[in-house]
Amino acid sequence: MYKILERKDLAPSIKQFVIDAPLVAKKAQPGQFIILRIREGGERIPLTIADYDTQKGTITVVFQEVGKTTKELGTLKAGDHLADFVGPLGQAVQFENHKKVLGIGGGLGVAPLYPKLKMLHQKGVEVTSIIGAKSADLLIMENEIKAVSNKTYICTDDGSKGRHGFVTVVLKELLEKGEKYDEIIIIGPPILMKIGTEITKPYDIPTMVSLNPIMVDGTGMCGGCRVTVGGETKFACVDGPAFDGHKVDFDELMKRLQTYKSEEKTAIDKHEGGGCRCHQ
Ligand code: FAD
Ligand code: FES
Ligand code: MG
């Protein structure tokens, strides 16, 4: 059993947990994720390692309540326990000899962006960040990102904080101004990563993305997380989740994420006791 040591509500539907998991914390590196189950027989869900403390033996996860399991997870409090907390899974990210990096996080993508920027900052790399959300109340980890960045741009879709518009608008401006980076990291909804990588491609700047296909076992056995990168089939759980964004087939990823929509709707309707709402 894995104890929830701290719970913080970052936004109405976004929660942060610090979990007591010393064996996972001992090996965790930026770019990796865990798979948890709330209870025996429950659904397995992957969440990114948003931070880790090897000394304290803790892992931090940040999640948005989007369906049955994440909503159930959101009812837990400090002192409660999780049945399973498996990891670290996936490949750690590597940055060799970088001097200047731009990190872009949209929505929940800010959480997986943070450990990468933290590592780069600790290595003395000059970090610029652009973070955004639909509105000010949904913007997460602003102080953490600012603490590991030389410069931070904030954007909101509705203009309630920072620049009015998408993070990709600032990305375009910086590149058009002639800013140069050794690498750009873009993490967020697949459509943001698709548009972002289309913007960086003509500038020939290596662009890393982190993919979120549906995962089941997280160990390369089930094939659920299959993605196409550079025309080759990859399993995001063992080959990723970080990939060269200029090679990813985002259209296929977005299509595959829709596969279980009707089952997911049935599960959340049952969970909330609503049953079928098609005639309401
Ligand atoms: P459901 O109603 O079951 O599903 C809602 C949507 O979530 C689906 O349409 C699908 O897009 C996605 N999803 C559902 N099941 C899975 C699954 N088994 N694997 C992947 N996606 C799924 N979310 C966060 O909030 N914070 C994170 O740090 C985070 N990190 C992730 C890291 C990786 C490597 C991956 C693959 C996904 C990550 N996700 C993260 C997404 C998270 O796993 C899903 O939001 C969660 O599984 C939804 O479960 P649900 O039952 O609440 O919703
Ligand atoms: Fe099963 Fe990746 S989650 S192969
Ligand atoms: Mg689910």
Side-chain angles (χ1 to χ4, degrees):
M1 299 291 271
Y2 297 84
K3 191 173 181 181
I4 301 167
L5 299 174
E6 283 175 45
R7 168 192 163 130
K8 197 167 153 192
D9 293 19
L10 304 186
S13 61
I14 305 175
K15 317 258 153 29
Q16 175 177 299
F17 284 173
V18 177
I19 313 279
D20 182 34
L23 294 178
V24 184
K26 204 170 158 186
K27 293 192 175 161
Q29 290 180 68
Q32 294 185 297
F33 64 97
I34 55 91
I35 288 191
L36 65 77
R37 277 197 310 175
I38 298 174
R39 75 177 73 77
E40 286 288 322
E43 185 183 37
R44 297 159 61 86
I45 62 160
L47 295 178
T48 305
I49 295 174
D51 203 0
Y52 53 92
D53 189 323
T54 317
Q55 300 291 320
K56 291 185 185 156
T58 59
I59 296 283
T60 303
V61 290
V62 175
F63 62 93
Q64 183 157 29
E65 296 172 9
V66 293
K68 178 180 182 287
T69 304
T70 46
K71 277 183 197 281
E72 217 179 321
L73 194 61
T75 64
L76 302 185
K77 299 172 194 63
D80 288 340
H81 289 81
L82 303 171
D84 283 340
F85 195 79
V86 179
L89 300 168
Q91 299 290 328
V93 292
Q94 310 288 343
F95 300 101
E96 302 294 338
N97 305 318
H98 284 17
K99 292 195 173 57
K100 203 173 164 193
V101 168
L102 174 64
I104 302 170
L108 247 281
V110 177
L113 178 68
Y114 173 67
K116 298 177 181 71
L117 298 192
K118 185 178 173 184
M119 178 174 75
L120 288 161
H121 178 72
Q122 283 168 350
K123 283 181 166 193
V125 175
E126 185 183 331
V127 173
T128 302
S129 51
I130 313 172
I131 56 170
K134 281 190 179 145
S135 53
D137 60 334
L138 293 172
L139 188 73
I140 59 166
M141 301 180 82
E142 180 186 343
N143 291 338
E144 287 88 339
I145 291 285
K146 281 183 171 166
V148 297
S149 306
N150 299 71
K151 181 152 187 48
T152 302
Y153 298 87
I154 309 273
C155 304
T156 49
D157 298 0
D158 66 356
S160 49
K161 184 162 192 175
R163 286 282 301 271
H164 189 172
F166 299 133
V167 285
T168 45
V169 174
V170 179
L171 164 67
K172 221 169 164 199
E173 281 175 10
L174 291 174
L175 295 178
E176 281 169 359
K177 250 178 32 191
E179 292 286 349
K180 303 259 186 290
Y181 304 97
D182 297 306
E183 183 149 3
I184 297 178
I185 308 164
I186 308 177
I187 310 181
I191 188 67
L192 162 68
M193 297 191 282
K194 180 182 171 174
I195 294 169
T197 51
E198 282 167 3
I199 293 171
T200 65
K201 196 154 191 206
Y203 293 88
D204 210 19
I205 302 175
T207 304
M208 175 190 289
V209 294
S210 186
L211 304 186
N212 58 343
I214 290 181
M215 294 189 178
V216 184
D217 65 315
T219 59
M221 307 286 281
C222 70
C225 67
R226 180 167 56 80
V227 289
T228 304
V229 182
E232 287 178 27
T233 296
K234 300 279 181 193
F235 291 155
C237 67
V238 287
D239 300 319
F243 291 101
D244 175 348
H246 293 147
K247 295 186 175 167
V248 171
D249 183 341
F250 286 105
D251 292 334
E252 180 195 57
L253 172 67
M254 289 188 272
K255 206 169 146 211
R256 282 176 60 80
L257 279 169
Q258 301 299 315
T259 311
Y260 301 105
K261 279 287 173 209
S262 84
E263 286 86 349
E264 287 155 3
K265 186 177 179 312
T266 306
I268 190 66
D269 283 350
K270 266 193 193 160
H271 178 66
E272 293 184 338
C276 168
R277 293 186 181 144
C278 49
H279 300 297
Q280 290 177 10

